[in-house]
Amino acid sequence: MLTWGTKILAAAALMLLASLVSLIFEGLGRTFTARLERRLGPPPSQPFYDLVKLFGKKAVLPREGLPWLFLGAPAVGAASALTIFLYLPIGSLPPLLSGGGDLLLVVFLLLLASLATVLALSGGASPRRGVEVGRELTLLVACALPLALVVASLVWFAYRQGLPGAPFSLETFAAKSVWSVASWPGRIGLAALGLVFLSLLPVLAGTTVRPIEGGQDDDFSGRALLLFEVARQYRTLAACSVCVCLFLPGSLGLILELQALTLFVVDFLFFWAKVFLVQMTALSLEDAFVGRFRGDQAASFYSLAASGLALAGLILLFFDVRL
């Protein structure tokens, strides 16, 4: 058992690692997107340069609106997203914090980080803020039902199939994959739920909204823009990590019959490789699909099509349990 002092040091190291990985994945994601569009694009190290550049600029607070909300909400969003990593099993490493309701807390933190983005936009004074706030709120409300269906379906299936551990604990899904206890109807249902969760990632990760950047009083600039972008990067990494824990668990080290330190290192790197793959898939999905929707079209897709697919997945899981 780790002492509280050791846990605090480990938590600080984990958050530092998550910050570094989010910047690396952000840079690689920009390069990946540029290559898909047949452009040269920025170098993978560009997010590091942007961070240093924005940190050296002064934040211009809006004359109207709520300046404390303008700066405080992104900080709350970043803290919420970083807290998620304390509850995630990373490879063969157990989470620093755990309990019977980890999954509910993680979903709450993801939604809180998303809501913080809306609050940050509403705290400014841009004439376009009403459009951005309305679109983001509409998407969040539309995503609530399919997200709840996905989580409830996974928890119910884990409970009925007798997975060891608390059904609302992420360690339960990491220790034994739900795919391993499903027959063909259940696997089709899990695939449907996975597709729904993947379609939700652009909204949960915050890639569907960008702040209004510039040097005027009503724009995000300097350290205000830095806070906003850092919060978005943390949300992206956290949402993709949760997707891996739920739908893509597994130990490469055990397959290779590794032991001790080598097992932990290989599984640790394998976990982040899966997160990167999911993040690139989410970016491609947002650019090719969700980003082309208007606000009302995207909301209709999530509230109707995504919810319907999640319900179909639940029905298939039900038949799998009854067979």
Side-chain angles (χ1 to χ4, degrees):
M1 295 293 293
L2 297 177
T3 64
W4 277 106
T6 305
K7 284 188 176 183
I8 292 174
L9 291 177
L14 180 59
M15 290 184 178
L16 182 62
L17 174 67
S19 302
L20 180 62
V21 171
S22 67
L23 288 171
I24 294 174
F25 284 6
E26 176 75 12
L28 292 175
R30 293 180 185 179
T31 302
F32 174 76
T33 303
R35 294 295 187 271
L36 287 180
E37 298 174 354
R38 297 182 179 180
R39 297 185 291 107
L40 180 60
S45 57
Q46 188 62 44
F48 293 91
Y49 299 142
D50 293 342
L51 186 148
V52 174
K53 179 182 66 176
L54 292 174
F55 186 79
K57 291 184 177 181
K58 181 181 179 181
V60 180
L61 299 179
R63 294 178 181 176
E64 300 177 0
L66 300 172
W68 62 270
L69 191 61
F70 187 74
L71 293 176
V76 172
S80 301
L82 276 179
T83 304
I84 292 174
F85 292 99
L86 301 180
Y87 294 90
L88 295 182
I90 299 177
S92 297
L93 297 174
L96 289 175
L97 300 176
S98 61
D102 297 350
L103 185 54
L104 292 178
L105 178 59
V106 165
V107 171
F108 169 77
L109 290 173
L110 276 176
L111 294 177
L112 178 61
S114 302
L115 182 60
T117 299
V118 180
L119 295 176
L121 292 171
S122 64
S126 170
R128 288 173 50 193
R129 64 175 176 170
V131 176
E132 295 292 340
V133 170
R135 183 175 189 272
E136 188 73 358
L137 275 177
T138 302
L139 287 176
L140 282 178
V141 172
C143 287
L145 179 57
L147 180 60
L149 284 172
V150 169
V151 172
S153 300
L154 288 174
V155 169
W156 177 80
F157 187 67
Y159 173 74
R160 292 302 302 266
Q161 294 296 88
L163 263 66
F168 280 99
S169 174
L170 283 168
E171 284 189 280
T172 300
F173 295 92
K176 188 172 184 179
S177 172
V178 288
W179 299 91
S180 64
V181 295
S183 57
W184 68 265
R187 290 176 182 175
I188 297 176
L190 290 173
L193 295 176
L195 287 175
V196 172
F197 197 92
L198 191 64
S199 71
L200 295 174
L201 285 181
V203 178
L204 296 176
T207 59
T208 58
V209 62
R210 289 290 189 273
I212 303 163
E213 181 180 358
Q216 303 300 322
D217 292 346
D218 56 0
D219 294 330
F220 279 84
S221 61
R223 295 179 185 178
L225 180 60
L226 173 64
L227 284 172
F228 195 100
E229 287 297 318
V230 166
R232 180 185 60 79
Q233 292 169 14
Y234 289 163
R235 284 174 58 190
T236 302
L237 190 66
C240 295
S241 299
V242 173
C243 181
V244 169
C245 289
L246 292 176
F247 292 100
L248 297 174
S251 171
L252 180 61
L254 291 178
I255 296 176
L256 299 177
E257 298 183 350
L258 302 177
Q259 296 180 355
L261 182 60
T262 308
L263 170 67
F264 289 104
V265 172
V266 169
D267 283 348
F268 183 82
L269 296 176
F270 185 52
F271 173 83
W272 291 116
K274 290 185 289 184
V275 172
F276 178 72
L277 177 63
V278 170
Q279 183 167 329
M280 294 304 99
T281 304
L283 284 175
S284 302
L285 183 66
E286 194 276 330
D287 290 334
F289 186 57
V290 181
R292 301 180 184 274
F293 283 162
R294 297 194 308 268
D296 55 342
Q297 291 176 331
S300 298
F301 168 79
Y302 285 120
S303 59
L304 297 177
S307 298
L309 184 59
L311 184 59
L314 175 59
I315 294 173
L316 287 170
L317 293 182
F318 175 80
F319 281 118
D320 189 354
V321 171
R322 301 298 294 179
L323 288 178

